[in-house]
Amino acid sequence: MPKKLEKVDVVVVGTGWSGGVVSAELAKAGYKVVALERGEEKSTNDYIGAKDELRYMSRKYIMQDLSIETITSRTSMDETALPVRTQDEMMVGNHLGGSSVHWAGATYRYNPFEFEIRSEIEKRYGKDRIPEGSLLRDWGISYDEFEKYYDRWEKTAGISGEEDPLGAKRSSPYPNPPTVETPNLRLFKEAAKELGYHPFQISSANVTQTYENPDGEVINQCQYCSYCTHYGCDFGAKSDPIVTVIPTAQKTGNFELRTHAYARRVTYDGKKATGVIYVDMITGQEYEQPADVVVLGAFTLANTRLLLMSGIGEPYNPKTKKGVIGRNFTGQFNITFLGARGFFNDKKFNLHMGGGALGATFSDLTGEHIDNSETDFLHGGGVEIRQYGDAPINNNPVPKGTPSWGKEWKEKSLFYANRSLNVWFTPGVLPWWHNYLDLDPTYKDAFGDPLLRVTNKYTDQDRNIAKFGIEKCKEVMEKMGADIIDVDEVPEEFDHVYNGAHYAGGVTMGTDPETSAVNTYLQMWDAENLFVVGASAMPHFGDRHPTATVGALAYRAAEGIEKYLKEGGGLLLKPEK
Amino acid sequence: MTEKNTNQASDMKKKQDAQQEVDGLGRRKFIKNTGLVLGGVIGGSLFGGLITNNLKSEPASTDTNEENDGKDARIFFNRKEDFDVLKAAVERIYPEDDNGPGAIWLGVPYFIDRQLAGEFGQNGKDYMQGPFKDIHNTERYQSRLNRGDMMLEGLRAMNQVSLKKHDKRFHEIEGEQQDEILKAFEEGKEKMRGASSKSFFQLLRQMTIEGAYADPLYGGNRDMMGWKMREFPGPRPAYINDIESEEFVKQDPISLKDYQP
Ligand SMILES: Cc1cc2nc3c(=O)[nH]c(=O)nc-3n(C[C@H](O)[C@H](O)[C@H](O)COP(=O)(O)OP(=O)(O)OC[C@H]3O[C@@H](n4cnc5c(N)ncnc54)[C@H](O)[C@@H]3O)c2cc1C
């Protein structure tokens, strides 16, 4: 029997951008908030001098411990799923701040197109362009309604950027100026311009000047030290929850952080959530934390799994296509981020210098701006070049045809270490009836609970859009003047490698409880005091990186929760069907 | 041999230069640029790190022993023969050439030995519960063996192939003959117990590269020669002053030993 604790106003699971923003906002509003985080407590102190590629990038030191929990994965319903066993195949955050600490920080708003994708496609290309078997639908909220939440999150995070020449309307400019334009980024931009595109500097959570956010938190200036993606920041200069929303919550005196607290169930009385059951991983003691409002911000996979294990909401059944929990799973996997790599024989770049979000891009080919009337796919994608700051273990590009080891490999990998640039395409990903999440019938976690099972396969849509993107990247690389250009191959099938934490869906938002689990305040239709925050709410994967939208969704959810608590309950939005 | 010694002497000198640069100009500029000191918003932690770094400048290791054997000993590999096979294999994967030393000189075999003795070799943070339904899967890790055992099985399998084909142990045959065996394992053509030979080879290759380029504190990348060969400067506080340069900025490396507070 779990030990029952005293009731609080709000209990939040997870401390990334999702859980962190909600915690800060509600604690500021005067509510008693308890946050449960399965990992350790971390602060900037933990990351000082942590410039160790082997430990952080190769060994994924601050990512999820798979010996406790992982997922299983297969491509179709008639296969037996196998567990994703090693950290080389899985990237999900752990510890205070979650993935939102070791993220790279490339920050994009989704285009208006994404929010009303089905209506837009029908309007532009006709109803019969909606592919059979896709679960494409509008999100239930428009960009214009959503804009203020983007604005709020960008200010909290001190996002540093310049306006996308093709971007949607903004209510205010970015709070900080863009990152530096390095020679390789300039080369990309010049090539893109020559091809008629509209390049700009990627907006970034690597903050470009010392910045105080509206909550009074100070983020330091990025030094482009290169130990960024996969790492916690050495200088408190990458915007993340541990330098922003977590300290903001802590300052209120209304916030209690419990680390090593592994949530296993949401308790539910058939109408409402009553609290969270978790295990203190230090003592092994199990607790029940009752609360008026329960918030899940444990990331796409854990959000979905916690609901399935708790029996809240109807699980999605691909055979009947009914049910909502686990539905609309999408992700940017090995068929995305493909493009062209150029090798320059006479040019050397300072590739070991950089920052996670340092880069350039253009939006001309995104779903918003592309013309799909003649394409053999729907949607579009961003074209990007990044300058992460390449460390030597994980960056050894060589031209195709070079052996992968031995004398020739060594020679070429050393020669091209600072002479190779990569341009890639980030396509939108559509939801299909056959890609979904449920509980695995065989494999168990360390507590004996079933693992989450992913069923995900590629369609011609995925392969065709990837092919298109690669071709466009190649054209840019040609203009950039590379001596050797290698293009990526389009994989036939999903490789079950979960890189980059770009996975969405499972608890999606919408207006119709038949097809969505939460309304646009991320309030569950089936439990009005349960709010499920994160990319789990996205009905499809937009053609840019997800986290600005995750942060903005968290602000919207926080607004909803506050309203809910003030008004004393009820659904904040009524179903529209 | 002589060439390597000269390299080392000049490397020592370069290392001192690098240290001076870090202690002096680099850091002062860095502090100024952040604007933190004036603003008074500096985290104690950050500042502390910089100060400590200024005081630290340990001399580089002057160990000239060819294989590091004088200094190191094995933890994971009980049998010397397994270790001999490993040494021969990693040197073929990352050979000594005109650019500089190969895997053995860099200490890669000892790096691998230590890694396998620890969490990584034991798959401490991986999911290792059964059932194991597809142990020879070449694309996904589905073996029931942990990495340490996979390495032993693979090295011994390579040795067996060598004995069968050439009547000599793997580390006694010619380099080209070793390459042939390695290639067969890389392509998954040889059989081994408990995992595909392809998975074993990938592990061997991955760990060889790690040993050449990980921070020297792990026992490989001796004297930061792995980094020097590719002009990688190691962990540094800031590139904000150099990153816009049109020219390639060459800096001699420093390691965590010099960097960490
Ligand atoms: C290497 C990498 C680079 C990335 N780069 C970018 C980028 O450049 N741009 C971009 O937009 N996105 C990027 N992302 C994605 C980004 O990290 C995520 O979108 C974002 O962090 C999600 O925030 P979240 O709060 O929803 O989840 P998280 O930040 O992952 O937080 C979830 C938290 O919940 C905790 N938790 C989970 N389960 C439990 C449980 N059962 N009990 C208690 N606690 C639990 C976790 O420990 C974690 O702290 C990147 C991701 C990775 C891995």
Side-chain angles (χ1 to χ4, degrees):
Chain A
M1 270 303 274
K3 196 163 150 185
K4 201 160 177 168
L5 301 167
E6 226 167 282
K7 193 169 174 183
V8 294
D9 296 324
V10 184
V11 59
V12 180
V13 181
T15 56
W17 280 121
S18 296
V21 165
V22 171
S23 296
E25 289 306 290
L26 292 163
K28 274 159 59 186
Y31 296 103
K32 293 284 173 209
V33 179
V34 166
L36 305 174
E37 168 54 53
R38 66 178 170 190
E40 296 164 17
E41 180 158 11
K42 295 276 184 197
S43 71
T44 297
N45 254 320
D46 290 285
Y47 299 121
I48 291 173
K51 296 187 165 174
D52 181 344
E53 184 190 9
L54 185 73
R55 190 170 206 211
Y56 285 85
M57 190 165 282
S58 301
R59 301 286 180 261
K60 311 209 163 47
Y61 164 60
I62 51 175
M63 297 200 191
Q64 178 170 331
D65 181 348
L66 304 182
S67 72
I68 299 172
E69 178 184 345
T70 184
I71 58 171
T72 67
S73 187
R74 61 179 182 173
T75 48
S76 68
M77 274 165 65
D78 46 24
E79 288 169 29
T80 304
L82 297 174
V84 177
R85 292 190 180 277
T86 66
Q87 289 197 310
D88 294 332
E89 304 157 274
M90 188 78 200
M91 279 186 202
V92 169
N94 197 7
H95 309 310
L96 191 61
S99 285
S100 310
V101 167
H102 58 67
W103 73 315
T107 307
Y108 294 92
R109 295 177 172 197
Y110 279 165
N111 281 316
F113 171 81
E114 309 284 7
F115 293 87
E116 292 167 285
I117 187 166
R118 188 174 182 115
S119 307
E120 280 295 315
I121 289 172
E122 289 181 354
K123 195 173 82 195
R124 296 179 190 192
Y125 315 115
K127 275 198 164 70
D128 38 334
R129 270 309 289 283
I130 302 291
E132 199 176 321
S134 96
L135 302 177
L136 262 183
R137 61 175 172 76
D138 295 353
W139 288 26
I141 189 168
S142 69
Y143 172 86
D144 287 341
E145 293 166 278
F146 199 66
E147 199 277 342
K148 63 175 178 183
Y149 306 108
Y150 275 133
D151 188 66
R152 181 65 182 86
W153 180 77
E154 285 168 0
K155 284 175 177 152
T156 297
I159 299 304
S160 303
E162 64 185 358
E163 203 157 319
D164 177 353
L166 303 180
K169 223 173 61 220
R170 306 175 52 91
S171 54
S172 50
Y174 284 105
N176 288 304
T179 53
V180 292
E181 189 181 86
T182 63
N184 25 325
L185 302 187
R186 197 171 314 125
L187 189 63
F188 167 86
K189 286 183 181 173
E190 279 163 7
K193 266 186 221 150
E194 274 182 58
L195 290 165
Y197 300 128
H198 299 81
F200 61 101
Q201 200 78 2
I202 294 176
S203 45
S204 160
N206 305 124
V207 176
T208 52
Q209 60 190 2
T210 304
Y211 171 74
E212 186 176 325
N213 81 5
D215 295 317
E217 309 302 337
V218 173
I219 311 171
N220 293 329
Q221 182 195 34
C222 174
Q223 301 299 309
Y224 304 106
C225 79
S226 85
Y227 291 84
C228 192
T229 178
H230 292 75
Y231 304 82
C233 183
D234 197 347
F235 306 120
K238 171 167 65 175
S239 191
D240 65 25
I242 63 178
V243 296
T244 58
V245 286
I246 298 295
T248 298
Q250 277 164 332
K251 273 177 209 159
T252 62
N254 293 324
F255 175 72
E256 188 194 336
L257 172 67
R258 295 191 198 137
T259 50
H260 301 283
Y262 217 110
R264 292 186 56 199
R265 293 284 185 289
V266 177
T267 50
Y268 182 56
D269 67 9
K271 277 199 168 138
K272 282 185 177 183
T274 52
V276 175
I277 294 184
Y278 70 95
V279 178
D280 180 331
M281 299 297 277
I282 301 283
T283 62
Q285 174 69 47
E286 197 166 54
Y287 294 97
E288 180 179 348
Q289 176 60 65
D292 286 331
V293 168
V294 175
V295 180
L296 299 183
F299 191 64
T300 301
L301 305 175
N303 281 356
T304 305
R305 180 168 178 257
L306 282 166
L307 292 177
L308 289 170
M309 290 200 305
S310 307
I312 307 177
E314 190 186 339
Y316 173 67
N317 179 345
K319 289 193 182 118
T320 61
K321 309 200 175 50
K322 289 214 163 28
V324 288
I325 310 299
R327 191 186 168 102
N328 285 52
F329 176 74
T330 54
Q332 292 185 313
F333 298 112
N334 65 323
I335 203 161
T336 61
F337 293 94
L338 300 179
R341 183 173 279 283
F343 297 88
F344 297 76
N345 291 333
D346 310 315
K347 270 194 196 124
K348 253 169 119 177
F349 305 98
N350 288 301
L351 296 182
H352 55 281
M353 309 178 183
L358 180 58
T361 186
F362 55 84
S363 298
D364 303 72
L365 304 174
T366 58
E368 178 81 38
H369 301 290
I370 197 173
D371 181 358
N372 281 138
S373 44
E374 301 288 320
T375 58
D376 55 3
F377 56 86
L378 284 170
H379 216 304
V383 174
E384 278 190 352
I385 185 168
R386 300 280 280 271
Q387 188 174 351
Y388 290 106
D390 291 348
I393 297 172
N394 291 286
N395 295 284
N396 289 290
V398 288
K400 263 187 200 158
T402 310
S404 66
W405 51 277
K407 198 169 162 44
E408 191 186 340
W409 177 82
K410 182 183 174 194
E411 177 78 36
K412 293 220 167 118
S413 67
L414 292 176
F415 181 76
Y416 286 115
N418 292 299
R419 290 182 168 91
S420 159
L421 302 177
N422 194 15
V423 172
W424 65 33
F425 187 65
T426 63
V429 183
L430 310 188
W432 301 92
W433 70 271
H434 48 70
N435 293 345
Y436 68 103
L437 307 171
D438 68 354
L439 294 177
D440 191 274
T442 308
Y443 291 97
K444 306 271 189 275
D445 70 7
F447 309 106
D449 286 327
L451 297 184
L452 188 75
R453 174 170 67 180
V454 177
T455 306
N456 186 57
K457 72 174 170 197
Y458 296 150
T459 61
D460 286 339
Q461 154 74 27
D462 300 306
R463 287 181 276 264
N464 294 344
I465 198 171
K467 228 176 279 162
F468 168 85
I470 291 167
E471 193 49 42
K472 294 296 159 192
C473 292
K474 184 173 161 226
E475 287 168 20
V476 175
M477 192 51 83
E478 278 164 1
K479 268 275 177 286
M480 288 168 70
D483 296 297
I484 304 170
I485 298 176
D486 285 338
V487 294
D488 289 321
E489 271 152 42
V490 178
E492 265 311 300
E493 206 32 279
F494 177 39
D495 64 353
H496 306 283
V497 173
Y498 291 76
N499 262 335
H502 287 202
Y503 344 124
V507 196
T508 57
M509 64 199 257
T511 53
D512 177 1
E514 296 275 308
T515 54
S516 62
V518 293
N519 63 28
T520 62
Y521 283 107
L522 311 191
Q523 178 183 34
M524 274 200 78
W525 297 119
D526 286 343
E528 60 172 50
N529 66 336
L530 177 51
F531 292 75
V532 187
V533 187
S536 52
M538 298 178 184
H540 76 278
F541 212 100
D543 59 17
R544 292 298 199 176
H545 300 257
T547 305
T549 307
V550 170
L553 280 170
Y555 274 105
R556 171 140 174 111
E559 185 186 294
I561 296 165
E562 212 183 318
K563 208 163 150 215
Y564 176 85
L565 284 165
K566 261 198 205 123
E567 290 172 2
L571 280 176
L572 297 162
L573 296 165
K574 299 279 175 271
E576 277 176 29
K577 202 180 150 193
Chain B
M1 197 52 223
T2 21
E3 195 185 314
K4 225 179 267 161
N5 284 336
T6 347
N7 270 348
Q8 263 177 9
S10 76
D11 284 333
M12 277 300 297
K13 167 84 178 76
K14 281 186 206 150
K15 189 172 269 176
Q16 285 157 6
D17 292 348
Q19 194 57 53
Q20 263 157 22
E21 185 207 307
V22 171
D23 289 340
L25 193 69
R27 284 194 195 272
R28 226 175 307 120
K29 257 202 199 154
F30 162 60
I31 293 176
K32 208 167 93 195
N33 254 293
T34 61
L36 296 178
V37 178
L38 291 176
V41 291
I42 194 156
S45 48
L46 168 62
F47 201 48
L50 293 171
I51 300 292
T52 335
N53 285 333
N54 272 327
L55 302 176
K56 242 190 189 173
S57 65
E58 289 194 30
S61 154
T62 49
D63 185 357
T64 52
N65 184 304
E66 181 66 15
E67 292 188 0
N68 250 2
D69 271 352
K71 199 172 79 182
D72 284 325
R74 303 185 305 273
I75 308 167
F76 175 79
F77 288 97
N78 301 321
R79 298 188 197 166
K80 183 163 179 301
E81 180 162 292
D82 294 332
F83 197 64
D84 287 339
V85 173
L86 175 72
K87 274 196 201 163
V90 297
E91 186 68 17
R92 292 311 293 178
I93 291 172
Y94 197 94
E96 181 182 333
D97 67 358
D98 294 344
N99 293 295
I104 292 179
W105 191 92
L106 289 167
V108 169
Y110 289 101
F111 166 87
I112 293 177
D113 178 76
R114 285 169 202 180
Q115 287 293 307
L116 292 179
E119 185 180 70
F120 183 67
Q122 310 296 307
N123 292 59
K125 279 176 151 183
D126 295 327
Y127 186 78
M128 295 304 279
Q129 291 187 42
F132 294 89
K133 291 183 179 166
D134 191 11
I135 59 172
H136 287 96
N137 190 316
T138 53
E139 307 304 321
R140 304 171 65 179
Y141 197 114
Q142 292 299 326
S143 174
R144 56 187 303 131
L145 301 179
N146 66 28
R147 293 187 186 87
D149 290 334
M150 192 187 290
M151 187 66 83
L152 282 179
E153 286 294 332
L155 294 173
R156 286 173 189 171
M158 288 208 301
N159 206 19
Q160 285 308 313
V161 172
S162 174
L163 282 166
K164 212 161 107 195
K165 262 198 175 156
H166 306 290
D167 211 17
K168 280 182 188 162
R169 294 177 299 174
F170 183 85
H171 49 283
E172 293 163 350
I173 57 178
E174 295 298 317
E176 275 90 61
Q177 296 172 323
Q178 291 171 337
D179 286 355
E180 262 172 45
I181 297 177
L182 285 164
K183 203 155 184 326
F185 275 71
E186 180 185 23
E187 289 165 0
K189 284 185 184 146
E190 292 289 351
K191 284 211 163 51
M192 62 176 270
R193 293 194 308 175
S196 81
S197 53
K198 190 175 169 181
S199 308
F200 154 72
F201 181 85
Q202 278 167 0
L203 177 67
L204 180 66
R205 176 185 181 273
Q206 176 197 340
M207 295 191 81
T208 304
I209 295 170
E210 288 172 356
Y213 296 136
D215 195 280
L217 68 93
Y218 290 99
N221 188 14
R222 177 176 165 202
D223 286 352
M224 298 182 276
M225 276 307 290
W227 289 350
K228 282 175 201 164
M229 282 187 275
R230 52 183 291 150
E231 300 176 302
F232 179 72
R236 284 176 172 269
Y239 293 120
I240 193 165
N241 298 316
D242 294 321
I243 193 163
E244 288 167 281
S245 162
E246 291 289 341
E247 302 301 316
F248 184 75
V249 181
K250 194 169 176 327
Q251 292 168 304
D252 286 307
I254 59 168
S255 71
L256 279 174
K257 207 164 94 179
D258 306 313
Y259 185 79
Q260 232 171 40

